Structures are given as C-alpha cells and as structure tokens.
Amino acid sequence: MKEPIFREAVGRLENSIRRMQATDSSGHDWWHTWRVRNLATYIASKENADLLVVELAALLHDVSDWKFNVDEKAGFDNVKGLLVVNKLEKYTRPVISCIRNISFKGAGVPDKPGSIEAQCVQDADRLDAMGAIGIARTFAFGGHHNRTLFDPETKPVMVNTFEQYKSQNSPTINHFYEKLFLLHDRLNTVTAKRIAADRHQFMEAYIKRFMDEWNGSDFISEQDF
Ligand code: ADP
Ligand code: NI
C-alpha cells in the first residue's frame, strides 16, 4: 500500500478507535492508545521492526483486550472489523498475531512474545504503565473498579496463573508490587529498558514517600520520643 493511502486509512482507523475509547475512565482511554502508538513506533524504529504492523497493532492493542470483551474471539473480531472497514484488511493476520500475547497475566506467568513487532508493542504498553503516567493510571483504574486505596493488613500476592490474576481485587497500592515494580525486568528491547530506568525510579520514590506519610516518618521527629 502506498504511503499516502496508508496514512489516510490509519487516520480513519484512529478516528474510529478514538470514538470507542473517548469516555474510558479506567486508564485505557484514547490518549493511552496514542502514547502507546508513539512509544511503540519509536522503539520499532530503533529495533528495526516492521513499522506499519507495529503502528496498527499499537493502535488496536486495547480494542481486543480481555478486559473490554466477553471473550478473546470477540476482541479479535472487533480488531478485524476495524481493519476491514478501514481497508487495512491485509494487515489482519500480522496485527492479531502481534497483539495476541502482550498482556500482563500475573507475576509468575511467562509473557514474552515471539516476534520483535509484538515485543515493541508490549514494551510500549508497559512503559505507559510506569512513571508518573503509570501512577495516575493505576489510581484511575482503582477508582473505576471500586478498589480500596491501601490497606496495610492486606499483603501483595504474587500469582502464578492468569485466572488468579483476573480475579484479584487487591488495594490499589498493592498493584505496584504485584505488577508495576516487576515491569522493568520484563521488558524486551534495550530501547525500552533505557526509557524505563527513570520511570521505575520515579515510582519507587513515589511509594517511599507514600509510606513515609502513611507511617508519619515525615512529621514525627526524634524529639517526639
Ligand atoms: P496490560 O496492558 O499488560 O494488559 P492492563 O491493561 O491490565 O495491563 O493494565 C494497564 C494499567 O491499568 C496498569 O498498569 C495499571 O495502571 C492499571 N491496572 C490494571 N490492573 C490494575 C489493578 N488491579 N489495580 C490498579 N491498577 C490496575
Ligand atoms: Ni494498553
């Protein structure tokens, strides 16, 4: 497909996805998709991956996500429908194979995708789960799903199956231990690892500060004892 025709089709696809995700308040809104597309195409350009497939897969990665569909088939049908209607049907197979296995499924569940294209999209999605934006999305998700903020008596649980991960209902702060702090060690590309280092540190500093305020170590001084 010639570049201007491809760009026009991608523009139409973007508009459809933007409409679908416009009102999401769980951290999976259109601007998450937009950031993942930007990150994924940047990583793909550094890693010599197929840019067209990566861009389409990044745009469509949450359209097929298990959280937003009754089952996996319904999710992939939605992806296929959007590609067909926007005259991008020839990318259906590579795009679906790219987004099939990128989701985080629990601390002990292996999730490294086979192709470099899928690795770029997974890394981009994970980078957007880290740093200042990752923190904001996590609290948005927690509120959206009626999770408690933090309960010092409920310890984080490292699960070994996707079923356990899906049924978890932990306080939002536990998500840092159950997923977010694990991500920097589970990235695929050197490009993403480089970007992740600061984002990881920022989350660690944030949680340290949160615990200091919770425990009072930011206001209780030595003289108080
Ligand atoms: P993936 O992109 O690997 O499929 P998710 O879509 O499940 O991962 O998660 C994306 C983001 O949504 C997380 O990084 C986090 O910000 C938020 N999120 C997902 N699950 C939880 C949870 N149980 N508690 C708090 N935030 C969550
Ligand atoms: Ni995502």
Side-chain angles (χ1 to χ4, degrees):
M1 187 182 268
K2 291 219 166 54
E3 178 65 16
I5 300 173
F6 179 79
R7 295 275 25 123
E8 215 175 284
V10 172
R12 282 195 305 272
L13 175 68
E14 276 178 35
N15 289 337
S16 317
I17 298 171
R18 190 169 180 162
R19 270 195 303 277
M20 289 169 72
Q21 299 176 335
T23 59
D24 176 276
S25 59
S26 74
H28 297 80
D29 56 301
W30 157 252
W31 294 108
H32 162 64
T33 298
W34 180 86
R35 292 187 302 270
V36 171
R37 187 264 300 274
N38 293 348
L39 280 160
T41 51
Y42 174 78
I43 297 167
S45 71
K46 300 280 176 195
E47 304 283 335
N48 294 319
D50 184 326
L51 271 171
L52 303 189
V53 170
V54 167
E55 180 169 13
L56 294 176
L59 285 170
L60 287 158
H61 83 277
D62 269 343
V63 169
S64 60
D65 194 280
W66 60 271
K67 290 184 292 306
F68 310 115
N69 292 282
V70 283
D71 59 28
E72 199 177 50
K73 184 178 178 307
F76 293 136
D77 285 348
N78 280 341
V79 168
K80 188 172 179 193
L82 281 173
L83 287 170
V84 169
V85 95
N86 290 298
K87 301 197 170 64
L88 290 161
E89 62 274 4
K90 76 171 188 174
Y91 295 97
T92 305
R93 198 190 270 266
V95 165
I96 288 183
S97 108
C98 191
I99 54 187
R100 187 177 284 283
N101 288 315
I102 61 164
S103 240
F104 185 83
K105 297 185 176 67
V109 188
D111 55 14
K112 191 179 173 79
S115 73
I116 183 66
E117 285 74 25
Q119 291 180 5
C120 293
V121 179
Q122 185 184 65
D123 280 358
D125 199 20
R126 291 185 170 180
L127 285 169
D128 204 56
M130 301 176 71
I133 287 177
I135 294 170
R137 292 181 65 218
T138 300
F139 289 110
F141 185 100
H144 183 86
H145 290 276
N146 301 316
R147 304 280 168 87
T148 56
L149 193 58
F150 178 50
D151 170 11
E153 291 168 2
T154 306
K155 300 296 170 208
V157 184
M158 300 301 173
V159 297
N160 290 316
T161 71
F162 187 30
E163 290 314 310
Q164 289 170 310
Y165 181 70
K166 278 196 277 193
S167 62
Q168 269 184 314
N169 201 14
S170 326
T172 297
I173 289 290
N174 291 20
H175 194 64
F176 285 84
Y177 300 94
E178 290 166 352
K179 173 181 175 187
L180 306 182
F181 287 148
L182 311 177
L183 292 178
H184 72 140
D185 276 339
R186 293 168 73 134
L187 294 168
N188 308 294
T189 63
V190 285
T191 309
K193 286 179 191 164
R194 187 173 50 72
I195 303 169
D198 267 4
R199 296 189 183 203
H200 181 81
Q201 251 184 20
F202 188 84
M203 293 193 298
E204 282 190 330
Y206 172 78
I207 288 294
K208 183 182 178 311
R209 175 77 199 188
F210 184 100
M211 294 305 168
D212 284 349
E213 292 181 16
W214 189 281
N215 296 322
S217 48
D218 70 322
F219 64 85
I220 302 170
S221 63
E222 294 285 307
Q223 294 108 323
D224 293 326
F225 291 100

